[in-house]
């Protein structure tokens, strides 16, 4: 499990697995990305973060408020080749990102203004190891009817780890066998499935994918037995 303590101490080059230098972002690159994102902050209203994957069950950062939210115009897709954390270069898995179209239900986290930069630095260290996302200010609709502006990590389709084919038949075998220093790729998928179901946000495509991964793992275990 990724923890706050682990992330604070982590050396991005070694802690998540073996990442080639051409893909790994430096501390300076992450800092520049964060500064550029904050420079585009729409106003002085509170900063919200939209969690649609592991941030939902393991946010790590401190939030002053958490609310169910919907993001229009983007949908979940396992379109990021996973070579670290829960996968390796030799046995890559797939990580979740957002692609254009549809909508996504998730959680919105309101960050404390007095610790804003500290919390965002930690978030950038977690999400921008290879700079694969485009941190974007988007409008969220909270479950209580409020509309807020939040930071959303959207897949950069120009990134070398972007994979256009995210259909279940392609990615289920990858997710079923991939693992790394932070655990298995399947564990990530199952945790997200459980969290979405618990919050009444079940995603049909994700549920179907999780079922296929379980079937593949069951067949593999039977063969080994």
């Amino acid at each position: 499990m990724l923890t706050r303590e682990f992330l604070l101490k982590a050396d991005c080059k070694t802690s998540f697995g073996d990442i080639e230098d051409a893909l790994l972002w430096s501390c300076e690159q992450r800092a520049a990305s964060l500064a550029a994102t904050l420079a585009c902050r729409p106003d002085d209203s509170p900063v919200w973060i939209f969690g649609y994957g592991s941030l939902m069950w393991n946010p790590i950062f401190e939030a002053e408020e958490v609310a169910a939210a919907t993001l229009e115009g983007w949908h979940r897709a396992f379109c990021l080749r996973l070579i670290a954390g829960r996968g390796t270069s030799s046995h890559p898995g797939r990580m979740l990102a957002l692609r254009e179209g549809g909508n996504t239900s998730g959680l919105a986290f309101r960050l404390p203004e007095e610790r804003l930069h500290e919390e965002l630095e930690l978030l950038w260290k977690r999400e921008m190891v290879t700079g694969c996302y485009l941190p974007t200010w988007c409008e969220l609709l909270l479950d209580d009817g409020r509309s807020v502006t939040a930071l959303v990590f959207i897949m950069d389709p120009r990134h070398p780890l972007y994979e256009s084919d995210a259909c279940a038949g392609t990615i289920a075998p990858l997710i079923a066998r991939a693992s790394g220093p932070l655990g298995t790729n399947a564990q990530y998928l199952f945790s997200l499935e459980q969290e979405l179901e618990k919050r009444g946000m079940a995603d049909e495509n994700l549920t179907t994918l999780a079922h296929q991964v379980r079937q593949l793992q069951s067949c593999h275990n039977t063969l080994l037995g």
Side-chain angles (χ1 to χ4, degrees):
M1 174 71 75
L2 187 67
T3 65
R4 186 181 182 93
E5 183 181 15
F6 170 87
L7 198 56
L8 284 168
K9 296 178 179 179
D11 172 1
C12 290
K13 183 169 178 58
T14 59
S15 298
F16 299 103
D18 186 20
I19 305 174
E20 60 182 276
D21 290 341
L23 292 173
L24 185 69
W25 266 27
S26 65
C27 296
E28 291 75 20
Q29 284 174 300
R30 293 199 306 273
S33 170
L34 173 55
T37 301
L38 286 176
C40 297
R41 184 177 176 179
D43 51 44
D44 292 328
S45 61
V47 171
W48 294 77
I49 304 296
F50 182 58
Y52 57 89
S54 62
L55 290 180
M56 293 184 67
W57 75 84
N58 186 30
I60 291 179
F61 49 69
E62 297 288 336
E64 293 189 323
E65 183 181 357
V66 183
T70 301
L71 173 67
E72 293 289 343
W74 302 90
H75 67 277
R76 289 183 179 88
F78 282 86
C79 56
L80 172 58
R81 184 164 15 109
L82 184 60
I83 59 167
R86 296 179 182 271
T88 62
S89 296
S90 57
H91 291 99
R94 284 295 184 90
M95 183 49 64
L96 193 62
L98 292 176
R99 289 204 300 203
E100 200 165 2
N103 61 77
T104 301
S105 295
L107 294 179
F109 300 87
R110 179 166 60 84
L111 298 186
E113 187 67 32
E114 65 273 13
R115 297 199 310 276
L116 181 61
H117 205 274
E118 174 188 345
E119 298 300 328
L120 288 178
E121 279 185 335
L122 199 63
L123 183 61
W124 250 250
K125 191 174 183 180
R126 172 179 177 158
E127 302 293 338
M128 298 293 280
V129 176
T130 64
C132 56
Y133 294 112
L134 297 171
T136 306
W137 297 97
C138 298
E139 183 177 300
L140 293 183
L141 181 63
L142 304 188
D143 62 344
D144 62 7
R146 283 179 293 165
S147 179
V148 301
T149 302
L151 267 175
V152 182
F153 287 88
I154 293 168
M155 183 71 216
D156 183 352
R158 303 162 300 179
H159 196 276
L161 294 179
Y162 171 71
E163 297 284 358
S164 59
D165 184 359
C167 69
T170 299
I171 66 177
L174 301 174
I175 293 174
R177 71 173 185 173
S179 65
L182 297 183
T184 68
N185 202 176
Q187 183 183 42
Y188 172 95
L189 172 63
F190 300 153
S191 294
L192 178 56
E193 177 193 31
Q194 181 179 23
E195 185 70 18
L196 291 173
E197 288 180 351
K198 181 179 76 174
R199 295 187 176 276
M201 301 177 179
D203 182 317
E204 183 179 348
N205 292 330
L206 190 138
T207 300
T208 299
L209 174 61
H211 177 68
Q212 291 189 25
V213 170
R214 286 191 180 94
Q215 284 186 316
L216 287 168
Q217 291 183 325
S218 178
C219 290
H220 178 71
N221 291 336
T222 299
L223 289 172
L224 289 178

